[in-house]
Amino acid sequence: MKDRVSAIIKKYGKDESQLVSILQDIQAEYNFLPRVELDKLSKRMDIPQSQIYSLATFFKAFSLKPRGKHIINVCLGTACHVRGTELILESLERQLKINRGETTEDRNFTLETVNCMGCCATGPVVKIDDEYYGQMSNDKVEPMLKKY
Amino acid sequence: MSEKVSLTINGNKYTTQKGQYVLQVARENGIEIPTLCNHEAIEPYGACRLCIVEATHGTRTRIVTSCLYPVEEGLVVQTNSPRIIKNRKMLLNLLLARCSENKVIKDLAAEYGIVKPPFREEYWEKNDCIVCGLCVRACEQVVGVSAISLVNRGIHKEPAPPYLKRAKACIGCGSCFYVCPTGAVKMEDKNGVRHIYNWNVNFKLKKCSVCGIQWAPEAQLEYIRKKWDLPVDFFETCPNCK
Amino acid sequence: MRTKLKSRKELEELQKKLHRKLDTGKTRISICNGTACRPYGSNPVAESFKSEIAKQGLEDKVDFKVTGCHGFCEKGPIAIIEPGNIFYQKIKVDDVPEIIQKSVLNKEVISKLLFKEQSTGKEITAQNELPFYKNQTRIILGNNLLIDPTEIEDYIATGGYAALAKALFELQPDKLIGIVKQSGLRGRGGAGFSTGTKWESCRKAHGDIKYVIVNADEGDPGAYANEGLLTGNPHSVLEGLIIGAYAIGAHQGFIYVRNEYPLALKNMTIAMEQAEKHGLLGDNILGSGFDFHVRINRGGGAFVCGESTALMASLEGKVGEPRAKYIHTVERGLWDRPSNLNNVETWANIPLIVNNGPEWFSKIGSPGNSGTKIFSLTGKVNNTGLVEVPMGIKLRDIIFSIGGGIRGNKKFKAVQTGGPSGGCLPEKLLDSPVDFDELTKAGSMMGSGGMIVMDEDNCMVDIARYFLTFLEEESCGKCVPCREGIKRMRQVLNDITEGKGRESDIELLGEISVHLKESSLCQLGSSAPNPVLTTIQYFRSEYESHIKNKKCPAGVCKALIQFSIIDEKCPGCGMCVKTCPSNAITFMGKKKPVILDQSKCIKCRTCYDICRMGAVSIE
């Protein structure tokens, strides 16, 4: 089995200051940060486990739990809030039967929130993987989810 | 660099070395400034904000944490101005609401006349930890093993072992316990075993071959022995019996 | 394959050559594929143009460009056709063949794709004539239309990197710093500190190794001005950065981009690679002997990393915890070395100032506030998007002349500037000039450029609660005032919006606010009270209504509102019955009003939004 962590460390030149970037690459590989990979990272870069864990829990971009096949990002930025995005989020929570930050039982979806994606004119905005859905309203939620 | 600097604290003039912090000068001269996250063996952190003072340089007056504010020529410091007292009181209100049953916080708050925080009682919490970071910083800076760290951010920030499981790198030295200002680190030596409950660790205590007292964790002694390349039987006897 | 440019002369020759290529008599189509247009489907539209042009073999007749943000995000997907400056909006994939046929080949204008004036319905063809654009001063963003951000030669063709060449070969660092100081440029990240003065301090600071940093961690929710600039014209920022590095004496730079801006990251990475290939970045830039390298770092999803010391901690591989700034970062910053950090927009202004001179720059804007500012104008206005205006313009002009007034003919209530560190300003302040000093006087601040317009349907107490909830989550948690104080304020505001507010709450909020302002470690904490303080100051009656009367006048706070059916208006169509997620509405037959069961109602607003007869009311 290919040692992806070593390859990632090599890419950044074993540079401790690049830890956040390294963790992002690991997450991109595995869709989350598996503990066993973080332990490898700790050993190979001679960095205390506690330090890596601290970084992984500080930055919202990281997930220590496995995530779903499709990541749903609901924008909670001010412009979207002002246009009622909270209600869209609640609608998604109801339909998927999970709370924000959680993954559905069938591991198909993970519901996450973002504080502004930069599409404020088209708010409320929901992003699923790389697709942006603008001007969301409650009635658009079900048809959107059906595509996946 | 032993460049001398003169500053005024509470109306009195003091002369000190450049590079010192205001808190150090105050303490050296018997001026009391309360602190929680400060410890002389550890780099100042500026988290608890209790050591705030009003500092005037030229025409500019600011509220700063004395633990991290470098002394300047002509600096005028007030440690107990009405503005400072007001801020300390609100700070203690906030701490008391977080640690409503902690003796250290309750006593400190009582010194400033704070008994009940102005927030709804249903929101008061019963923590002991104030997230001052001393345990983590001691483990990193003084001991050098970084067995624990501050995890999460914001209101969920807390000192914890990796993955909230057992702190594998811990050597049981108890530095975290000794520096904790509120008694939030719970450590107990019982039946030949040291328990530090917060980090889910326990250590067999070494028995002195002479007096029989169980005086320190074996893991800690082994760590020190290895680090300083000491002979294998160096710690067979405790310091008293050496 | 482009070879490295090894001298100023080579750059100038290339620029001349590329500029000549622009005057070809071809029709030019420029389509926006910026982040904000993507949810509208701009990508498929752009692809459709490409394939249609190829299919009809029109490559030699049409110069087609996919660009970054044009600014008028509300109307995306947008395209501009030259000659004629024709502005087409809300383009669908199906419209593309018609556009090629009519507007490109036959020079005809397609009416249905034109902008129509709000009040008169009059169609406007030319982009420059649109009220949205004609009231702006687009010295920075204007170039987005001409540039494919993944093609450095587009940037060079418009004169790009000439400022860098001028700086490297004509201006000594001290003179260059003097020019920036004279221009009056102030930091566009929010604090508004004199950029030239900052550069000077960094240059004078002790140490051989210095750093320059681009703060592209635009975390304010609702602000995407930096995003539009980075994605649409990354070279403008890069050029400014290299000039700054030269002035200060730094040989290493960092660009810290928010994790949530994948397009900006991508385009900036491409820009850096291309600049290096062209000899405009890296060793011996343009043969001047000046070396400068840049590294891009991604944020990890932490608003606090927009704070300079937290950003630097993150660059060092640590958690984004700010530290005291009693010793400035220009003296001891990244790895304790002199570091000059500036916002994206600040850097983008530098090439303009070097090319056109400080006097030119200082004439734009208002006294003490030179130049322009880019705002992301969003919320309840008709024309949302990225706008660039001279400092000192009135709020009213931005919101009404450019923004086209409040959508749906509702009434203006407030405008939020400066993000969570700023404040909400009411109608009576609409004639305030927009600049650093005036906004601060009003209790708000410039911030990085978010400008969110609110109307009568927005509850100001809810807005304050929203911002505090955001800040509570983003607080790094290091210092007690911010971590504990914001939590307590948010709890009080929650109580107020749930009808549990107490008489003493407003005063309590005020006291905690003062404490945060005076004792917090960083600006996240010290400016956190601003949304609360401004809403109390300007909208006190709403607070009192929530606290004393347990009512939400705007009809937002769920615990204080009730949905009900207006029997006379309900035709019994059953739309609301079908869409109600909690089955709280019962169908009573055609032409009979439906019945809403309050005990099951979860106040989700679905029925209110879906009813075309206005038969649902909120009290």
Side-chain angles (χ1 to χ4, degrees):
Chain A
M1 183 160 135
K2 205 170 63 158
D3 189 351
R4 296 182 251 190
V5 170
S6 288
I8 292 169
I9 294 172
K10 197 161 169 218
K11 174 177 161 194
Y12 291 100
K14 218 180 175 194
D15 183 359
E16 193 170 322
S17 78
Q18 296 273 48
L19 259 179
V20 178
S21 302
I22 292 173
L23 287 174
Q24 277 160 338
D25 278 14
I26 296 177
Q27 171 139 323
E29 278 281 347
Y30 297 95
N31 201 21
F32 75 111
L33 291 176
R35 178 166 175 182
V36 65
E37 304 300 324
L38 295 185
D39 287 349
K40 278 190 210 160
L41 179 63
S42 166
K43 277 203 187 73
R44 305 229 174 103
M45 284 189 68
D46 198 21
I47 291 173
Q49 269 194 350
S50 62
Q51 192 177 329
I52 294 174
Y53 186 69
S54 178
L55 276 175
T57 54
F58 180 90
F59 289 106
K60 208 173 165 217
F62 301 129
S63 175
L64 287 161
K65 285 193 280 222
R67 301 194 299 168
K69 191 159 150 226
H70 302 289
I71 312 288
I72 305 175
N73 273 311
V74 181
C75 182
L76 292 185
T78 317
C80 286
H81 172 85
V82 147
R83 290 197 190 170
T85 191
E86 307 277 342
L87 297 163
I88 310 287
L89 177 59
E90 283 166 18
S91 177
L92 277 161
E93 286 179 320
R94 273 195 305 270
Q95 295 200 30
L96 295 171
K97 298 194 177 47
I98 52 173
N99 288 325
R100 54 200 80 172
E102 294 175 357
T103 303
T104 53
E105 266 201 62
D106 61 3
R107 295 278 194 91
N108 201 24
F109 291 111
T110 296
L111 181 61
E112 292 179 353
T113 60
V114 181
N115 288 325
C116 194
M117 292 191 253
C119 320
C120 312
T122 35
V125 176
V126 172
K127 183 162 94 102
I128 303 186
D129 300 332
D130 288 328
E131 286 265 345
Y132 289 92
Y133 296 89
Q135 304 198 304
M136 283 303 293
S137 51
N138 274 343
D139 55 318
K140 289 190 189 161
V141 173
E142 207 181 325
M144 176 183 72
L145 288 177
K146 276 208 164 77
K147 289 168 77 175
Y148 299 87
Chain B
M1 234 204 306
S2 55
E3 197 185 311
K4 293 258 179 258
V5 169
S6 299
L7 67 159
T8 309
I9 305 180
N10 294 343
N12 296 315
K13 205 165 176 197
Y14 302 94
T15 308
T16 184
Q17 320 264 63
K18 188 171 177 178
Q20 286 228 306
Y21 295 122
V22 170
L23 180 67
Q24 289 168 306
V25 184
R27 291 218 158 134
E28 276 167 19
N29 291 286
I31 303 168
E32 277 200 41
I33 299 179
T35 61
L36 278 169
C37 74
N38 188 271
H39 192 283
E40 55 194 4
I42 300 170
E43 290 292 320
Y45 192 46
C48 71
R49 319 305 287 174
L50 210 48
C51 70
I52 44 172
V53 296
E54 280 201 81
T56 308
H57 197 241
T59 52
R60 195 179 172 201
T61 302
R62 308 192 267 178
I63 293 183
V64 300
T65 48
S66 52
C67 63
L68 277 168
Y69 198 81
V71 295
E72 294 168 302
E73 180 62 41
L75 191 68
V76 177
V77 177
Q78 286 291 336
T79 67
N80 288 316
S81 70
R83 208 156 77 128
I84 293 296
I85 300 290
K86 199 166 160 216
N87 272 292
R88 282 207 195 119
K89 282 187 172 170
M90 180 52 82
L91 206 50
L92 290 164
N93 268 317
L94 289 172
L95 283 168
L96 190 54
R98 182 193 167 90
C99 309
S100 54
E101 293 182 358
N102 180 279
K103 186 172 189 318
V104 171
I105 299 296
K106 279 163 82 173
D107 288 349
L108 189 51
E111 275 178 50
Y112 285 81
I114 311 273
V115 178
K116 272 175 75 167
F119 321 113
R120 293 172 89 105
E121 201 163 329
E122 65 190 275
Y123 299 138
W124 295 359
E125 296 154 37
K126 297 186 184 151
N127 295 294
D128 287 311
C129 177
I130 56 169
V131 200
C132 69
L134 275 171
C135 52
V136 167
R137 291 181 285 133
C139 192
E140 184 196 346
Q141 294 173 26
V142 178
V143 184
V145 296
S146 291
I148 51 174
S149 59
L150 287 175
V151 305
N152 300 326
R153 72 173 186 226
I155 55 176
H156 303 294
K157 196 181 197 79
E158 58 172 354
Y163 308 99
L164 311 180
K165 299 267 196 286
R166 188 175 66 87
K168 286 197 207 153
C170 177
I171 59 171
C173 68
S175 300
C176 50
F177 170 74
Y178 295 120
V179 298
C180 177
T182 57
V185 179
K186 311 279 184 223
M187 186 170 89
E188 206 180 6
D189 288 354
K190 201 168 69 173
N191 298 331
V193 177
R194 164 165 295 176
H195 302 265
I196 307 181
Y197 297 105
N198 305 53
W199 327 131
N200 303 312
V201 291
N202 42 57
F203 299 92
K204 186 150 171 269
L205 290 167
K206 185 100 179 158
K207 206 170 177 176
C208 174
S209 58
V210 174
C211 67
I213 292 181
Q214 286 164 321
W215 62 286
E218 285 181 353
Q220 177 188 0
L221 296 174
E222 193 51 26
Y223 175 80
I224 297 170
R225 196 193 66 73
K226 277 208 182 98
K227 192 166 179 184
W228 298 105
D229 207 17
L230 303 167
V232 182
D233 58 356
F234 193 82
F235 288 120
E236 287 307 309
T237 45
C238 73
N240 288 336
C241 297
K242 274 209 197 297
Chain C
M1 196 70 245
R2 165 57 37 202
T3 51
K4 264 193 164 95
L5 297 165
K6 296 204 194 74
S7 69
R8 186 179 188 181
K9 189 149 174 272
E10 283 183 25
L11 172 66
E12 284 168 356
E13 276 166 11
L14 176 61
Q15 199 259 321
K16 277 200 199 96
K17 180 172 130 204
L18 291 169
H19 197 76
R20 271 197 300 270
K21 267 168 86 173
L22 289 175
D23 271 327
T24 52
K26 277 189 194 178
T27 303
R28 290 196 329 259
I29 307 178
S30 149
I31 177 144
C32 176
N33 202 16
T35 307
C37 269
R38 300 240 166 169
Y40 284 130
S42 59
N43 211 24
V45 171
E47 291 301 314
S48 177
F49 266 105
K50 256 191 227 153
S51 63
E52 196 63 31
I53 291 172
K55 199 167 91 183
Q56 296 195 35
L58 293 167
E59 289 95 330
D60 52 341
K61 285 213 176 77
V62 177
D63 191 7
F64 174 69
K65 231 172 250 316
V66 179
T67 72
C69 186
H70 286 199
F72 204 164
C73 310
E74 181 68 37
K75 304 294 184 186
I78 356 181
I80 312 261
I81 303 182
E82 299 281 9
N85 197 225
I86 306 173
F87 175 86
Y88 282 150
Q89 62 180 33
K90 297 207 173 291
I91 302 171
K92 298 199 194 47
V93 170
D94 294 338
D95 296 324
V96 175
E98 192 184 347
I99 295 176
I100 303 278
Q101 188 58 40
K102 290 204 175 137
S103 305
V104 175
L105 296 175
N106 293 331
K107 311 288 182 205
E108 276 172 38
V109 169
I110 303 172
S111 180
K112 71 166 192 240
L113 294 174
L114 291 177
F115 174 81
K116 284 161 198 51
E117 214 157 64
Q118 196 64 32
S119 40
T120 62
K122 177 175 144 208
E123 287 170 359
I124 303 179
T125 310
Q127 184 226 1
N128 296 330
E129 301 286 305
L130 264 59
F132 180 80
Y133 285 109
K134 78 175 181 205
N135 294 306
Q136 294 186 42
T137 306
R138 296 165 65 84
I139 59 177
I140 302 175
L141 276 182
N143 276 341
N144 276 20
L145 300 171
L146 309 167
I147 294 171
D148 176 337
T150 61
E151 295 290 343
I152 188 175
E153 298 202 337
D154 281 2
Y155 184 66
I156 295 176
T158 63
Y161 288 107
L164 173 60
K166 183 174 176 182
L168 290 175
F169 295 102
E170 263 180 61
L171 301 167
Q172 286 304 311
D174 288 322
K175 179 114 199 283
L176 182 50
I177 292 179
I179 287 173
V180 178
K181 273 173 90 173
Q182 214 191 328
S183 73
L185 177 66
R186 291 166 70 170
R188 296 292 191 255
F193 190 74
S194 158
T195 306
T197 307
K198 198 175 195 179
W199 286 19
E200 190 174 49
S201 305
C202 196
R203 180 168 179 80
K204 287 200 178 125
H206 183 75
D208 289 327
I209 301 177
K210 299 185 181 170
Y211 301 115
V212 284
I213 304 171
V214 179
N215 185 346
D217 193 64
E218 185 176 40
D220 286 3
Y224 64 107
N226 288 172
E227 202 280 338
L229 195 44
L230 273 171
T231 306
N233 195 350
H235 286 285
S236 65
V237 179
L238 193 53
E239 187 182 0
L241 183 67
I242 307 170
I243 294 172
Y246 168 70
I248 288 164
H251 300 282
Q252 177 67 48
F254 297 86
I255 305 180
Y256 189 90
V257 184
R258 267 184 99 207
N259 191 44
E260 295 84 350
Y261 284 170
L263 260 176
L265 270 159
K266 179 168 160 230
N267 287 0
M268 183 48 97
T269 306
I270 294 172
M272 279 163 50
E273 280 163 10
Q274 292 185 342
E276 201 152 339
K277 279 210 182 81
H278 280 67
L280 293 159
L281 181 65
D283 290 329
N284 195 16
I285 295 176
L286 283 177
S288 66
F290 177 62
D291 301 336
F292 178 63
H293 294 265
V294 181
R295 186 176 95 184
I296 284 196
N297 269 68
R298 282 149 69 190
F303 169 77
V304 70
C305 286
E307 196 276 344
S308 58
T309 58
L311 193 158
M312 291 182 201
S314 181
L315 281 176
E316 290 177 14
K318 303 183 184 136
V319 293
E321 270 181 16
R323 62 152 179 83
K325 287 208 264 207
Y326 305 141
I327 299 174
H328 294 290
T329 50
V330 286
E331 313 247 353
R332 298 231 300 255
L334 194 52
W335 291 296
D336 266 348
R337 297 182 174 129
S339 309
N340 182 84
L341 177 144
N342 278 122
N343 173 270
V344 167
E345 197 179 329
T346 312
W347 290 115
N349 271 291
I350 298 295
L352 290 171
I353 292 172
V354 172
N355 275 329
N356 299 300
E359 293 87 8
W360 167 84
F361 191 76
S362 60
K363 285 205 182 87
I364 304 171
S366 59
N369 293 273
S370 325
T372 60
K373 178 79 189 82
I374 302 173
F375 289 100
S376 34
L377 180 63
T378 61
K380 303 295 188 74
V381 276
N382 281 309
N383 305 332
T384 61
L386 291 186
V387 306
E388 186 181 348
V389 291
M391 292 276 202
I393 188 175
K394 290 195 191 143
L395 264 173
R396 184 185 298 282
D397 290 332
I398 299 179
I399 296 170
F400 291 92
S401 307
I402 297 174
I406 310 300
R407 53 173 59 195
N409 276 318
K410 298 263 182 180
K411 198 170 177 306
F412 170 86
K413 188 188 236 181
V415 59
Q416 165 77 10
T417 69
S421 313
C424 297
L425 303 177
E427 185 176 6
K428 70 177 186 204
L429 292 180
L430 272 176
D431 289 305
S432 305
V434 175
D435 66 31
F436 290 108
D437 311 312
E438 290 296 319
L439 285 177
T440 310
K441 258 200 272 185
S444 183
M445 63 180 263
M446 182 81 74
S448 66
M451 194 175 273
I452 300 146
V453 180
M454 299 167 199
D455 66 13
E456 59 197 79
D457 290 338
N458 292 112
C459 170
M460 302 318 288
V461 185
D462 169 72
I463 295 288
R465 179 196 61 82
Y466 162 83
F467 277 121
L468 283 181
T469 307
F470 171 82
L471 289 167
E472 187 183 22
E473 210 186 280
E474 297 293 342
S475 165
C476 78
K478 178 172 170 181
C479 79
V480 177
C482 175
R483 186 184 73 233
E484 303 293 329
I486 292 179
K487 175 173 75 184
R488 299 298 171 192
M489 286 177 81
R490 197 260 313 145
Q491 284 171 341
V492 171
L493 281 164
N494 260 353
D495 284 348
I496 295 177
T497 59
E498 286 174 13
K500 299 196 289 190
R502 303 179 294 185
E503 288 281 345
S504 53
D505 279 345
I506 294 181
E507 197 187 325
L508 178 60
L509 286 171
E511 283 173 8
I512 306 175
S513 295
V514 171
H515 173 63
L516 254 68
K517 275 189 170 297
E518 295 186 341
S519 300
S520 295
L521 186 142
C522 82
Q523 273 100 307
L524 190 153
S526 62
S527 61
N530 289 349
V532 179
L533 291 176
T534 49
T535 48
I536 290 178
Q537 182 183 359
Y538 300 121
F539 302 96
R540 198 187 177 98
S541 61
E542 273 188 65
Y543 277 86
E544 285 172 351
S545 189
H546 282 71
I547 295 172
K548 293 192 184 132
N549 311 336
K550 313 292 182 213
K551 284 226 180 298
C552 175
V556 170
C557 299
K558 283 192 179 170
L560 305 179
I561 56 172
Q562 195 164 269
F563 288 78
S564 52
I565 310 293
I566 306 171
D567 287 353
E568 310 86 66
K569 288 196 179 167
C570 174
C573 71
M575 282 283 283
C576 55
V577 180
K578 276 191 283 185
T579 53
C580 175
S582 56
N583 294 320
I585 312 181
T586 317
F587 183 62
M588 299 303 285
K590 268 202 146 63
K591 305 229 169 121
K592 289 209 183 111
V594 295
I595 296 191
L596 174 65
D597 183 352
Q598 291 299 337
S599 65
K600 290 193 183 153
C601 176
I602 57 170
K603 324 257 175 92
C604 68
R605 275 178 84 108
T606 308
C607 56
Y608 180 83
D609 290 333
I610 228 172
C611 178
R612 275 168 288 184
M613 305 307 292
V616 182
S617 79
I618 309 176
E619 287 129 37

